[in-house]
Amino acid sequence: MGPIEIIFIFAGFLGLLIYVFLIYNFNYWKKRGVEGPQPRLLFGNFPSMLTQSRHIIYDVNDIYREYKSKERFVGVFALRTPQLVVLDPKLCQEILVSNFQSFHDNQFARMIHKDLDPVIALNPFILTGSEWKDKRAEITPALTPNRIKASYPIMQKVCTRMTEYLDVETLKPVESGLNAKELATKFTTEVVANCVYGFEAEAFEDDECQIRERGTKLINQSFGTQLYFVLAAFLPNITNIYRLQLVKPESEKFFTDLMETAIQLRKETKSDRIDFLNYLLQLQEKKHLSTLEMAAHTMTFFLDGFETSSVLISNCLHLLADHRDIQQKLRDEINYAFTSKGGLSYEKLLDLSYLDQCINETLRLRTPFPSGNKLCTESCEIRTNKGKIINLEKSTVVMLPYDCFHHDPEYYPDPERFDPERFSPENGGVKKYKDMGVFLPFGDGPRICLGMKFALCQSKAAVAEIIRNWEIAVNPQTKPEFVIDPKQFLYVPEGGTWLNFRRITS
Ligand code: HEM
């Protein structure tokens, strides 16, 4: 046998091995009697994970629509790894709330290692088991309604700064309009920097604002990291064998230095502002936290807080710009509550029922986190539609497709329509949908979003400020159809949201 033949035989053998490796798991769900779509070689049931030709939630929606009338859940393959997709909101509620002890961790926890990435590993979203419980309890008092109320004057100041910024920007002869997401991110960066670090980020003054840039690029997005995530989808155990540092060392240093400066400044100025930093300093004294631990706490606020809320704000502005009648109705409500002396007080802001409806309808239609991926932490039994009991193995990833529930005509008639009336008090308000388990923008149960009230407050403050002062319209540069950007994890449109602003008050 010559060398060419040997190479051919070797290549054929290797090809066969890879083929067997890719498909040998594909009968995993069949063996257990769980229905589901046929996986494709290499791609499994979520081809978009590899091709990135569309956002993965579109693949999930296709499966949901095909199976939801037949099954409570289906077995799928993320490339080659078995996962369960929940189709029944009642089962979703069980996983999030009543059977929480069997699903208390997030899948993402597998990817992060405390010794390598301490600034993000202490985020409650990442933490697992009792460590999660302790850190969540530690951070919860920082986000009580009283503390949010105390931060509201800061938000109002940032609102004024945003209007000044818009006054200047809208004078510029730019045909493309303004990028709503950019505007919203400037706003949330400034609010979070002020509330967390106690100083200004100068996000409106500086297009290359350091805090924002560093925050957005905190997780290394190199080709190597992306490859690691894809490999982890093929071979989940790789995260135990080869551990990758996700945060660049210079970014970690930037945020710990920032924390040190913030602490020093607060001690020097002896400010008694009841903000997040004030709470952290009390916590540091009580629990002797290191600067790194303090920085990790601020990262929780920062990472979870600025991007998600800016997605909500920009999507809400987009929908309002597209529905001028709803925009005007909202403006009337805001103007009625606004007084020239006190502006829009915290209590009044939270009392604006139509604003609340518009925000909830945006969260339904364009859910920033379109799904939740939970880990089965303790094997348990789940029941199929026909009453058959399936034993779910420990470590199985369970996908909760929030976006699919939010777009299901069975729960929301004419689901693609932006209709804030769905959430009116006369129609049962948001409670009706929460009770049905079909309104989940913030998740539910013991792990429900910790910053929900803060997020709603800052988002409402920004939307109210803009709608009161500006008439907004969609600029033609915005794509007519909202297609989620496949390269983003959150719900943002391809091509961005571009809006025209016309001043109505001076
Ligand atoms: C519109 C804005 C936001 C949305 C849509 C959102 C959504 C979510 C969702 C879906 C989860 C997962 C819940 C689950 O596991 O079931 C979550 C968790 C979390 N969020 Fe938010 N979030 C937002 C803003 C914020 C803000 C402003 C903060 C901090 C100030 C924050 C802090 C957290 C934390 C710490 C967790 C982890 C909770 C835990 O695992 O115990 N979020 N959020």
Side-chain angles (χ1 to χ4, degrees), residues 96 106 123-125 132 136 143 300-301 304-305 308-309 312 368-369 374 402 441-444 447-451 454-455:
L96 289 171
N106 289 315
N123 189 320
F125 186 75
W132 158 74
R136 180 161 173 129
L143 290 157
T300 295
F301 211 111
D304 303 1
T308 43
S309 297
L312 168 59
F369 278 112
K374 301 285 166 190
Y402 306 147
F442 295 102
D444 200 357
R447 263 192 188 258
I448 193 168
C449 173
L450 247 174
F454 184 87

PDB file of all heavy atoms in Angstrom, residues 96 106 123-125 132 136 143 300-301 304-305 308-309 312 368-369 374 402 441-444 447-451 454-455, ligand 1:
ATOM      1  N   LEU A  96     -39.709  27.268  36.834  1.00  0.00           N
ATOM      2  CA  LEU A  96     -39.219  28.523  37.415  1.00  0.00           C
ATOM      3  C   LEU A  96     -39.613  28.686  38.879  1.00  0.00           C
ATOM      4  O   LEU A  96     -38.896  29.318  39.652  1.00  0.00           O
ATOM      5  CB  LEU A  96     -39.768  29.713  36.629  1.00  0.00           C
ATOM      6  CG  LEU A  96     -39.213  29.937  35.220  1.00  0.00           C
ATOM      7  CD1 LEU A  96     -40.005  31.005  34.495  1.00  0.00           C
ATOM      8  CD2 LEU A  96     -37.741  30.333  35.283  1.00  0.00           C
ATOM      9  N   ASN A 106     -28.473  28.465  35.991  1.00  0.00           N
ATOM     10  CA  ASN A 106     -28.535  28.824  34.571  1.00  0.00           C
ATOM     11  C   ASN A 106     -27.444  28.090  33.795  1.00  0.00           C
ATOM     12  O   ASN A 106     -26.351  27.865  34.324  1.00  0.00           O
ATOM     13  CB  ASN A 106     -28.345  30.338  34.400  1.00  0.00           C
ATOM     14  CG  ASN A 106     -29.553  31.103  34.895  1.00  0.00           C
ATOM     15  OD1 ASN A 106     -30.687  30.750  34.601  1.00  0.00           O
ATOM     16  ND2 ASN A 106     -29.316  32.144  35.677  1.00  0.00           N
ATOM     17  N   ASN A 123     -21.671  37.420  39.770  1.00  0.00           N
ATOM     18  CA  ASN A 123     -22.997  37.900  39.374  1.00  0.00           C
ATOM     19  C   ASN A 123     -24.016  36.820  39.727  1.00  0.00           C
ATOM     20  O   ASN A 123     -23.817  35.652  39.375  1.00  0.00           O
ATOM     21  CB  ASN A 123     -22.970  38.119  37.846  1.00  0.00           C
ATOM     22  CG  ASN A 123     -24.203  38.812  37.342  1.00  0.00           C
ATOM     23  OD1 ASN A 123     -25.308  38.526  37.788  1.00  0.00           O
ATOM     24  ND2 ASN A 123     -24.017  39.730  36.410  1.00  0.00           N
ATOM     25  N   PRO A 124     -25.114  37.178  40.419  1.00  0.00           N
ATOM     26  CA  PRO A 124     -26.087  36.138  40.787  1.00  0.00           C
ATOM     27  C   PRO A 124     -26.572  35.329  39.586  1.00  0.00           C
ATOM     28  O   PRO A 124     -26.879  34.149  39.716  1.00  0.00           O
ATOM     29  CB  PRO A 124     -27.248  36.938  41.397  1.00  0.00           C
ATOM     30  CG  PRO A 124     -26.643  38.204  41.850  1.00  0.00           C
ATOM     31  CD  PRO A 124     -25.483  38.492  40.944  1.00  0.00           C
ATOM     32  N   PHE A 125     -26.589  35.947  38.419  1.00  0.00           N
ATOM     33  CA  PHE A 125     -27.049  35.228  37.229  1.00  0.00           C
ATOM     34  C   PHE A 125     -26.155  34.015  36.935  1.00  0.00           C
ATOM     35  O   PHE A 125     -26.593  32.995  36.433  1.00  0.00           O
ATOM     36  CB  PHE A 125     -27.064  36.177  36.022  1.00  0.00           C
ATOM     37  CG  PHE A 125     -27.656  35.557  34.787  1.00  0.00           C
ATOM     38  CD1 PHE A 125     -29.023  35.389  34.678  1.00  0.00           C
ATOM     39  CD2 PHE A 125     -26.848  35.123  33.744  1.00  0.00           C
ATOM     40  CE1 PHE A 125     -29.586  34.795  33.553  1.00  0.00           C
ATOM     41  CE2 PHE A 125     -27.394  34.536  32.619  1.00  0.00           C
ATOM     42  CZ  PHE A 125     -28.773  34.374  32.524  1.00  0.00           C
ATOM     43  N   TRP A 132     -25.145  31.233  45.118  1.00  0.00           N
ATOM     44  CA  TRP A 132     -26.110  32.125  44.463  1.00  0.00           C
ATOM     45  C   TRP A 132     -27.054  32.733  45.507  1.00  0.00           C
ATOM     46  O   TRP A 132     -27.292  33.932  45.511  1.00  0.00           O
ATOM     47  CB  TRP A 132     -26.940  31.338  43.420  1.00  0.00           C
ATOM     48  CG  TRP A 132     -28.235  32.032  43.120  1.00  0.00           C
ATOM     49  CD1 TRP A 132     -28.406  33.167  42.384  1.00  0.00           C
ATOM     50  CD2 TRP A 132     -29.528  31.677  43.603  1.00  0.00           C
ATOM     51  NE1 TRP A 132     -29.732  33.544  42.383  1.00  0.00           N
ATOM     52  CE2 TRP A 132     -30.439  32.642  43.121  1.00  0.00           C
ATOM     53  CE3 TRP A 132     -30.016  30.640  44.414  1.00  0.00           C
ATOM     54  CZ2 TRP A 132     -31.812  32.594  43.410  1.00  0.00           C
ATOM     55  CZ3 TRP A 132     -31.375  30.597  44.690  1.00  0.00           C
ATOM     56  CH2 TRP A 132     -32.252  31.571  44.189  1.00  0.00           C
ATOM     57  N   ARG A 136     -27.285  36.689  46.172  1.00  0.00           N
ATOM     58  CA  ARG A 136     -28.561  37.330  45.823  1.00  0.00           C
ATOM     59  C   ARG A 136     -29.094  38.068  47.063  1.00  0.00           C
ATOM     60  O   ARG A 136     -29.548  39.209  46.974  1.00  0.00           O
ATOM     61  CB  ARG A 136     -29.566  36.302  45.308  1.00  0.00           C
ATOM     62  CG  ARG A 136     -30.879  36.964  44.938  1.00  0.00           C
ATOM     63  CD  ARG A 136     -31.772  36.186  44.024  1.00  0.00           C
ATOM     64  NE  ARG A 136     -33.031  36.890  43.916  1.00  0.00           N
ATOM     65  CZ  ARG A 136     -33.631  37.213  42.796  1.00  0.00           C
ATOM     66  NH1 ARG A 136     -33.121  36.890  41.650  1.00  0.00           N
ATOM     67  NH2 ARG A 136     -34.778  37.874  42.806  1.00  0.00           N
ATOM     68  N   LEU A 143     -31.503  47.149  45.868  1.00  0.00           N
ATOM     69  CA  LEU A 143     -32.461  47.462  44.800  1.00  0.00           C
ATOM     70  C   LEU A 143     -33.899  47.530  45.308  1.00  0.00           C
ATOM     71  O   LEU A 143     -34.846  47.215  44.581  1.00  0.00           O
ATOM     72  CB  LEU A 143     -32.318  46.413  43.686  1.00  0.00           C
ATOM     73  CG  LEU A 143     -31.006  46.537  42.889  1.00  0.00           C
ATOM     74  CD1 LEU A 143     -30.625  45.233  42.221  1.00  0.00           C
ATOM     75  CD2 LEU A 143     -31.112  47.635  41.845  1.00  0.00           C
ATOM     76  N   THR A 300     -22.328  43.542  38.320  1.00  0.00           N
ATOM     77  CA  THR A 300     -23.666  42.950  38.236  1.00  0.00           C
ATOM     78  C   THR A 300     -24.647  44.022  37.799  1.00  0.00           C
ATOM     79  O   THR A 300     -25.429  43.861  36.863  1.00  0.00           O
ATOM     80  CB  THR A 300     -24.091  42.429  39.639  1.00  0.00           C
ATOM     81  OG1 THR A 300     -23.232  41.383  39.977  1.00  0.00           O
ATOM     82  CG2 THR A 300     -25.526  41.947  39.627  1.00  0.00           C
ATOM     83  N   PHE A 301     -24.568  45.146  38.488  1.00  0.00           N
ATOM     84  CA  PHE A 301     -25.463  46.256  38.211  1.00  0.00           C
ATOM     85  C   PHE A 301     -25.234  46.758  36.796  1.00  0.00           C
ATOM     86  O   PHE A 301     -26.148  46.972  36.009  1.00  0.00           O
ATOM     87  CB  PHE A 301     -25.129  47.373  39.202  1.00  0.00           C
ATOM     88  CG  PHE A 301     -26.302  48.207  39.579  1.00  0.00           C
ATOM     89  CD1 PHE A 301     -26.811  48.147  40.867  1.00  0.00           C
ATOM     90  CD2 PHE A 301     -26.888  49.046  38.666  1.00  0.00           C
ATOM     91  CE1 PHE A 301     -27.880  48.921  41.233  1.00  0.00           C
ATOM     92  CE2 PHE A 301     -27.957  49.824  39.023  1.00  0.00           C
ATOM     93  CZ  PHE A 301     -28.463  49.770  40.311  1.00  0.00           C
ATOM     94  N   ASP A 304     -25.775  43.828  33.857  1.00  0.00           N
ATOM     95  CA  ASP A 304     -27.170  43.418  33.696  1.00  0.00           C
ATOM     96  C   ASP A 304     -28.060  44.617  33.446  1.00  0.00           C
ATOM     97  O   ASP A 304     -29.173  44.471  32.957  1.00  0.00           O
ATOM     98  CB  ASP A 304     -27.677  42.680  34.953  1.00  0.00           C
ATOM     99  CG  ASP A 304     -26.819  41.472  35.279  1.00  0.00           C
ATOM    100  OD1 ASP A 304     -25.848  41.246  34.559  1.00  0.00           O
ATOM    101  OD2 ASP A 304     -27.117  40.772  36.249  1.00  0.00           O
ATOM    102  N   GLY A 305     -27.557  45.795  33.811  1.00  0.00           N
ATOM    103  CA  GLY A 305     -28.447  46.952  33.842  1.00  0.00           C
ATOM    104  C   GLY A 305     -28.458  47.834  32.618  1.00  0.00           C
ATOM    105  O   GLY A 305     -29.506  48.303  32.207  1.00  0.00           O
ATOM    106  N   THR A 308     -29.615  45.816  28.741  1.00  0.00           N
ATOM    107  CA  THR A 308     -31.004  45.320  28.685  1.00  0.00           C
ATOM    108  C   THR A 308     -31.993  46.488  28.667  1.00  0.00           C
ATOM    109  O   THR A 308     -32.930  46.501  27.853  1.00  0.00           O
ATOM    110  CB  THR A 308     -31.312  44.449  29.919  1.00  0.00           C
ATOM    111  OG1 THR A 308     -30.766  45.093  31.063  1.00  0.00           O
ATOM    112  CG2 THR A 308     -30.762  43.064  29.777  1.00  0.00           C
ATOM    113  N   SER A 309     -31.783  47.464  29.554  1.00  0.00           N
ATOM    114  CA  SER A 309     -32.734  48.576  29.607  1.00  0.00           C
ATOM    115  C   SER A 309     -32.651  49.432  28.352  1.00  0.00           C
ATOM    116  O   SER A 309     -33.658  49.978  27.900  1.00  0.00           O
ATOM    117  CB  SER A 309     -32.482  49.459  30.836  1.00  0.00           C
ATOM    118  OG  SER A 309     -32.684  48.722  32.000  1.00  0.00           O
ATOM    119  N   LEU A 312     -34.772  47.849  25.797  1.00  0.00           N
ATOM    120  CA  LEU A 312     -36.197  48.124  26.061  1.00  0.00           C
ATOM    121  C   LEU A 312     -36.562  49.551  25.618  1.00  0.00           C
ATOM    122  O   LEU A 312     -37.560  49.761  24.919  1.00  0.00           O
ATOM    123  CB  LEU A 312     -36.488  47.923  27.559  1.00  0.00           C
ATOM    124  CG  LEU A 312     -37.831  48.430  28.066  1.00  0.00           C
ATOM    125  CD1 LEU A 312     -38.998  47.773  27.331  1.00  0.00           C
ATOM    126  CD2 LEU A 312     -37.981  48.178  29.574  1.00  0.00           C
ATOM    127  N   PRO A 368     -36.292  41.525  25.608  1.00  0.00           N
ATOM    128  CA  PRO A 368     -34.828  41.618  25.513  1.00  0.00           C
ATOM    129  C   PRO A 368     -34.125  40.268  25.619  1.00  0.00           C
ATOM    130  O   PRO A 368     -33.254  39.952  24.833  1.00  0.00           O
ATOM    131  CB  PRO A 368     -34.468  42.553  26.671  1.00  0.00           C
ATOM    132  CG  PRO A 368     -35.676  43.417  26.849  1.00  0.00           C
ATOM    133  CD  PRO A 368     -36.850  42.529  26.537  1.00  0.00           C
ATOM    134  N   PHE A 369     -34.530  39.438  26.611  1.00  0.00           N
ATOM    135  CA  PHE A 369     -34.001  38.071  26.717  1.00  0.00           C
ATOM    136  C   PHE A 369     -35.061  37.132  26.154  1.00  0.00           C
ATOM    137  O   PHE A 369     -35.986  36.760  26.857  1.00  0.00           O
ATOM    138  CB  PHE A 369     -33.786  37.664  28.188  1.00  0.00           C
ATOM    139  CG  PHE A 369     -32.524  38.138  28.803  1.00  0.00           C
ATOM    140  CD1 PHE A 369     -32.545  39.094  29.811  1.00  0.00           C
ATOM    141  CD2 PHE A 369     -31.313  37.619  28.405  1.00  0.00           C
ATOM    142  CE1 PHE A 369     -31.378  39.534  30.403  1.00  0.00           C
ATOM    143  CE2 PHE A 369     -30.138  38.057  28.997  1.00  0.00           C
ATOM    144  CZ  PHE A 369     -30.174  39.012  29.985  1.00  0.00           C
ATOM    145  N   LYS A 374     -32.175  26.908  31.471  1.00  0.00           N
ATOM    146  CA  LYS A 374     -31.964  26.421  32.838  1.00  0.00           C
ATOM    147  C   LYS A 374     -31.291  25.058  32.809  1.00  0.00           C
ATOM    148  O   LYS A 374     -31.465  24.302  31.848  1.00  0.00           O
ATOM    149  CB  LYS A 374     -33.328  26.282  33.542  1.00  0.00           C
ATOM    150  CG  LYS A 374     -34.106  27.584  33.621  1.00  0.00           C
ATOM    151  CD  LYS A 374     -33.522  28.471  34.671  1.00  0.00           C
ATOM    152  CE  LYS A 374     -34.020  29.888  34.580  1.00  0.00           C
ATOM    153  NZ  LYS A 374     -33.289  30.784  35.451  1.00  0.00           N
ATOM    154  N   TYR A 402     -39.536  32.159  26.215  1.00  0.00           N
ATOM    155  CA  TYR A 402     -40.414  33.277  26.590  1.00  0.00           C
ATOM    156  C   TYR A 402     -41.016  33.953  25.349  1.00  0.00           C
ATOM    157  O   TYR A 402     -42.206  34.261  25.291  1.00  0.00           O
ATOM    158  CB  TYR A 402     -39.648  34.336  27.388  1.00  0.00           C
ATOM    159  CG  TYR A 402     -38.925  33.806  28.614  1.00  0.00           C
ATOM    160  CD1 TYR A 402     -37.722  34.371  29.038  1.00  0.00           C
ATOM    161  CD2 TYR A 402     -39.444  32.770  29.364  1.00  0.00           C
ATOM    162  CE1 TYR A 402     -37.051  33.908  30.168  1.00  0.00           C
ATOM    163  CE2 TYR A 402     -38.784  32.288  30.495  1.00  0.00           C
ATOM    164  CZ  TYR A 402     -37.589  32.865  30.881  1.00  0.00           C
ATOM    165  OH  TYR A 402     -36.932  32.394  31.997  1.00  0.00           O
ATOM    166  N   PRO A 441     -40.891  38.575  30.626  1.00  0.00           N
ATOM    167  CA  PRO A 441     -39.690  39.306  30.209  1.00  0.00           C
ATOM    168  C   PRO A 441     -38.606  39.333  31.277  1.00  0.00           C
ATOM    169  O   PRO A 441     -37.432  39.477  30.968  1.00  0.00           O
ATOM    170  CB  PRO A 441     -40.213  40.727  29.930  1.00  0.00           C
ATOM    171  CG  PRO A 441     -41.477  40.833  30.690  1.00  0.00           C
ATOM    172  CD  PRO A 441     -42.059  39.453  30.733  1.00  0.00           C
ATOM    173  N   PHE A 442     -39.002  39.174  32.549  1.00  0.00           N
ATOM    174  CA  PHE A 442     -38.013  39.201  33.624  1.00  0.00           C
ATOM    175  C   PHE A 442     -37.848  37.819  34.270  1.00  0.00           C
ATOM    176  O   PHE A 442     -37.304  37.704  35.362  1.00  0.00           O
ATOM    177  CB  PHE A 442     -38.419  40.218  34.696  1.00  0.00           C
ATOM    178  CG  PHE A 442     -38.427  41.649  34.195  1.00  0.00           C
ATOM    179  CD1 PHE A 442     -39.614  42.282  33.867  1.00  0.00           C
ATOM    180  CD2 PHE A 442     -37.243  42.346  34.041  1.00  0.00           C
ATOM    181  CE1 PHE A 442     -39.627  43.598  33.399  1.00  0.00           C
ATOM    182  CE2 PHE A 442     -37.237  43.656  33.579  1.00  0.00           C
ATOM    183  CZ  PHE A 442     -38.426  44.282  33.249  1.00  0.00           C
ATOM    184  N   GLY A 443     -38.332  36.770  33.602  1.00  0.00           N
ATOM    185  CA  GLY A 443     -38.306  35.442  34.210  1.00  0.00           C
ATOM    186  C   GLY A 443     -39.352  35.369  35.305  1.00  0.00           C
ATOM    187  O   GLY A 443     -40.308  36.167  35.336  1.00  0.00           O
ATOM    188  N   ASP A 444     -39.192  34.444  36.229  1.00  0.00           N
ATOM    189  CA  ASP A 444     -40.136  34.312  37.341  1.00  0.00           C
ATOM    190  C   ASP A 444     -39.486  33.480  38.440  1.00  0.00           C
ATOM    191  O   ASP A 444     -38.420  32.910  38.235  1.00  0.00           O
ATOM    192  CB  ASP A 444     -41.424  33.608  36.838  1.00  0.00           C
ATOM    193  CG  ASP A 444     -42.612  33.879  37.765  1.00  0.00           C
ATOM    194  OD1 ASP A 444     -42.426  34.545  38.806  1.00  0.00           O
ATOM    195  OD2 ASP A 444     -43.728  33.418  37.450  1.00  0.00           O
ATOM    196  N   ARG A 447     -35.463  33.233  41.032  1.00  0.00           N
ATOM    197  CA  ARG A 447     -34.389  33.872  40.258  1.00  0.00           C
ATOM    198  C   ARG A 447     -34.909  35.005  39.376  1.00  0.00           C
ATOM    199  O   ARG A 447     -34.194  35.467  38.465  1.00  0.00           O
ATOM    200  CB  ARG A 447     -33.688  32.830  39.384  1.00  0.00           C
ATOM    201  CG  ARG A 447     -32.420  32.289  40.013  1.00  0.00           C
ATOM    202  CD  ARG A 447     -31.630  31.508  39.022  1.00  0.00           C
ATOM    203  NE  ARG A 447     -30.505  30.816  39.625  1.00  0.00           N
ATOM    204  CZ  ARG A 447     -29.244  31.243  39.553  1.00  0.00           C
ATOM    205  NH1 ARG A 447     -28.934  32.341  38.929  1.00  0.00           N
ATOM    206  NH2 ARG A 447     -28.285  30.546  40.112  1.00  0.00           N
ATOM    207  N   ILE A 448     -36.114  35.459  39.635  1.00  0.00           N
ATOM    208  CA  ILE A 448     -36.660  36.561  38.813  1.00  0.00           C
ATOM    209  C   ILE A 448     -35.666  37.724  38.824  1.00  0.00           C
ATOM    210  O   ILE A 448     -34.941  37.918  39.816  1.00  0.00           O
ATOM    211  CB  ILE A 448     -38.053  36.986  39.345  1.00  0.00           C
ATOM    212  CG1 ILE A 448     -38.750  37.875  38.327  1.00  0.00           C
ATOM    213  CG2 ILE A 448     -37.961  37.657  40.701  1.00  0.00           C
ATOM    214  CD1 ILE A 448     -40.227  38.120  38.613  1.00  0.00           C
ATOM    215  N   CYS A 449     -35.623  38.470  37.721  1.00  0.00           N
ATOM    216  CA  CYS A 449     -34.652  39.562  37.582  1.00  0.00           C
ATOM    217  C   CYS A 449     -34.615  40.442  38.836  1.00  0.00           C
ATOM    218  O   CYS A 449     -35.634  40.955  39.281  1.00  0.00           O
ATOM    219  CB  CYS A 449     -35.033  40.409  36.369  1.00  0.00           C
ATOM    220  SG  CYS A 449     -34.041  41.886  36.220  1.00  0.00           S
ATOM    221  N   LEU A 450     -33.408  40.603  39.358  1.00  0.00           N
ATOM    222  CA  LEU A 450     -33.239  41.403  40.582  1.00  0.00           C
ATOM    223  C   LEU A 450     -33.425  42.896  40.318  1.00  0.00           C
ATOM    224  O   LEU A 450     -33.785  43.653  41.203  1.00  0.00           O
ATOM    225  CB  LEU A 450     -31.821  41.167  41.095  1.00  0.00           C
ATOM    226  CG  LEU A 450     -31.645  40.448  42.403  1.00  0.00           C
ATOM    227  CD1 LEU A 450     -30.178  40.187  42.663  1.00  0.00           C
ATOM    228  CD2 LEU A 450     -32.220  41.253  43.530  1.00  0.00           C
ATOM    229  N   GLY A 451     -33.141  43.299  39.075  1.00  0.00           N
ATOM    230  CA  GLY A 451     -33.157  44.736  38.788  1.00  0.00           C
ATOM    231  C   GLY A 451     -34.437  45.185  38.103  1.00  0.00           C
ATOM    232  O   GLY A 451     -34.476  46.284  37.538  1.00  0.00           O
ATOM    233  N   PHE A 454     -35.788  48.625  39.068  1.00  0.00           N
ATOM    234  CA  PHE A 454     -34.846  49.667  38.640  1.00  0.00           C
ATOM    235  C   PHE A 454     -34.935  49.858  37.121  1.00  0.00           C
ATOM    236  O   PHE A 454     -34.992  50.980  36.620  1.00  0.00           O
ATOM    237  CB  PHE A 454     -33.417  49.269  39.040  1.00  0.00           C
ATOM    238  CG  PHE A 454     -32.398  50.313  38.734  1.00  0.00           C
ATOM    239  CD1 PHE A 454     -32.115  51.325  39.637  1.00  0.00           C
ATOM    240  CD2 PHE A 454     -31.722  50.321  37.517  1.00  0.00           C
ATOM    241  CE1 PHE A 454     -31.177  52.305  39.350  1.00  0.00           C
ATOM    242  CE2 PHE A 454     -30.790  51.294  37.212  1.00  0.00           C
ATOM    243  CZ  PHE A 454     -30.508  52.292  38.140  1.00  0.00           C
ATOM    244  N   ALA A 455     -34.973  48.723  36.396  1.00  0.00           N
ATOM    245  CA  ALA A 455     -35.039  48.771  34.929  1.00  0.00           C
ATOM    246  C   ALA A 455     -36.311  49.491  34.474  1.00  0.00           C
ATOM    247  O   ALA A 455     -36.270  50.338  33.571  1.00  0.00           O
ATOM    248  CB  ALA A 455     -35.012  47.351  34.367  1.00  0.00           C
TER     249      ALA A 455
HETATM  250  C1  HEM B   1     -35.371  45.701  30.703  1.00  0.00           C
HETATM  251  C2  HEM B   1     -34.362  45.347  31.440  1.00  0.00           C
HETATM  252  C3  HEM B   1     -34.121  43.961  31.958  1.00  0.00           C
HETATM  253  C4  HEM B   1     -34.624  42.759  31.545  1.00  0.00           C
HETATM  254  C5  HEM B   1     -35.607  42.495  30.412  1.00  0.00           C
HETATM  255  C6  HEM B   1     -34.058  41.742  32.399  1.00  0.00           C
HETATM  256  C7  HEM B   1     -34.355  40.398  32.297  1.00  0.00           C
HETATM  257  C8  HEM B   1     -33.809  39.425  33.110  1.00  0.00           C
HETATM  258  C9  HEM B   1     -34.071  38.012  32.984  1.00  0.00           C
HETATM  259  C10 HEM B   1     -34.993  37.365  31.954  1.00  0.00           C
HETATM  260  C11 HEM B   1     -33.364  37.383  33.940  1.00  0.00           C
HETATM  261  C12 HEM B   1     -33.300  35.886  34.180  1.00  0.00           C
HETATM  262  C13 HEM B   1     -34.382  35.462  35.135  1.00  0.00           C
HETATM  263  C14 HEM B   1     -34.407  33.975  35.332  1.00  0.00           C
HETATM  264  O1  HEM B   1     -33.350  33.363  35.461  1.00  0.00           O
HETATM  265  O2  HEM B   1     -35.499  33.422  35.370  1.00  0.00           O
HETATM  266  C15 HEM B   1     -32.635  38.397  34.686  1.00  0.00           C
HETATM  267  C16 HEM B   1     -31.808  38.131  35.751  1.00  0.00           C
HETATM  268  C17 HEM B   1     -31.120  39.097  36.429  1.00  0.00           C
HETATM  269  N1  HEM B   1     -31.173  40.461  36.242  1.00  0.00           N
HETATM  270 FE1  HEM B   1     -32.257  41.408  34.847  1.00  0.00          FE
HETATM  271  N2  HEM B   1     -33.220  42.334  33.311  1.00  0.00           N
HETATM  272  C18 HEM B   1     -33.246  43.692  33.090  1.00  0.00           C
HETATM  273  C19 HEM B   1     -32.570  44.668  33.802  1.00  0.00           C
HETATM  274  C20 HEM B   1     -31.786  44.429  34.906  1.00  0.00           C
HETATM  275  C21 HEM B   1     -31.138  45.454  35.705  1.00  0.00           C
HETATM  276  C22 HEM B   1     -31.284  46.954  35.498  1.00  0.00           C
HETATM  277  C23 HEM B   1     -30.416  44.804  36.676  1.00  0.00           C
HETATM  278  C24 HEM B   1     -29.574  45.373  37.792  1.00  0.00           C
HETATM  279  C25 HEM B   1     -29.675  46.532  38.259  1.00  0.00           C
HETATM  280  C26 HEM B   1     -30.628  43.392  36.497  1.00  0.00           C
HETATM  281  C27 HEM B   1     -30.090  42.404  37.287  1.00  0.00           C
HETATM  282  C28 HEM B   1     -30.333  41.052  37.142  1.00  0.00           C
HETATM  283  C29 HEM B   1     -29.704  40.045  37.967  1.00  0.00           C
HETATM  284  C30 HEM B   1     -28.705  40.277  39.089  1.00  0.00           C
HETATM  285  C31 HEM B   1     -30.204  38.806  37.525  1.00  0.00           C
HETATM  286  C32 HEM B   1     -29.850  37.420  38.073  1.00  0.00           C
HETATM  287  C33 HEM B   1     -30.865  37.050  39.133  1.00  0.00           C
HETATM  288  C34 HEM B   1     -30.609  35.676  39.716  1.00  0.00           C
HETATM  289  O3  HEM B   1     -30.173  34.789  39.001  1.00  0.00           O
HETATM  290  O4  HEM B   1     -30.874  35.528  40.914  1.00  0.00           O
HETATM  291  N3  HEM B   1     -31.468  43.206  35.416  1.00  0.00           N
HETATM  292  N4  HEM B   1     -32.925  39.631  34.161  1.00  0.00           N
END
